[in-house]
């Protein structure tokens, strides 16, 4: 976990409450937007980490999983010429509609 804490203690739930939200312009609206965008950045980092680990190890157990309140799905599709496209989608809890997806094309043969 982060900062030496066990993983189960490193996760938390955060609820952002604001009277208004973007595109309404104001100080509080910008702060809440920044916090929400930070969650999207975390999903991107999770997808990148899973993708990096899979490209290096080709570990089949990475096909789907979760870390705390975050989940991911890894998919592969042949793209011809001995290459495969690997896509990882990551999302928070039951909000798969807002999943972040990253893709990379790699050789079919593992490391």
């Amino acid at each position: 976990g982060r900062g030496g804490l066990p993983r189960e203690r490193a996760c938390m739930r955060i609820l952002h409450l604001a009277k208004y939200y973007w595109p309404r312009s104001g100080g509080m609206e910008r702060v809440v937007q920044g916090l929400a965008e930070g969650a999207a950045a975390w999903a991107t980092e999770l997808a990148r980490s899973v993708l990096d680990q899979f490209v290096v190890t080709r570990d089949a157990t990475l096909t789907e999983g979760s870390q705390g309140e975050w989940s991911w799905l890894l998919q592969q599709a042949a793209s011809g010429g001995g290459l495969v496209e690997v896509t990882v989608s990551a999302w928070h809890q039951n909000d798969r509609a807002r999943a972040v997806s990253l893709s990379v094309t790699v050789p079919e043969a593992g490391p």
Side-chain angles (χ1 to χ4, degrees):
R2 296 177 183 207
L5 293 174
R7 290 189 191 274
E8 56 275 359
R9 294 200 54 207
C11 297
M12 68 177 78
R13 292 180 185 214
I14 300 173
L15 173 65
H16 303 292
L17 297 174
K19 189 172 183 178
Y20 300 105
Y21 187 70
W22 184 90
R24 188 172 183 125
S25 181
M28 180 55 105
E29 291 78 17
R30 288 191 186 117
V31 169
V32 174
Q33 179 184 10
L35 294 170
E37 289 172 354
W42 177 245
T44 302
E45 180 62 21
L46 175 61
R48 187 202 55 79
S49 296
V50 171
L51 190 59
D52 285 352
Q53 186 172 353
F54 180 80
V55 168
V56 170
T57 65
R58 302 295 171 104
D59 184 352
T61 63
L62 292 171
T63 302
E64 61 182 309
S66 63
Q67 175 65 44
E69 297 176 355
W70 297 86
S71 300
W72 74 83
L73 177 65
L74 183 146
Q75 297 175 311
Q76 300 180 64
S79 59
L83 299 174
V84 62
E85 182 178 7
V86 181
T87 302
V88 176
S89 299
W91 61 92
H92 185 254
Q93 290 186 336
N94 297 323
D95 199 7
R96 193 166 179 177
R98 294 183 182 211
V100 171
S101 297
L102 300 177
S103 298
V104 65
T105 303
V106 296
E108 285 181 350

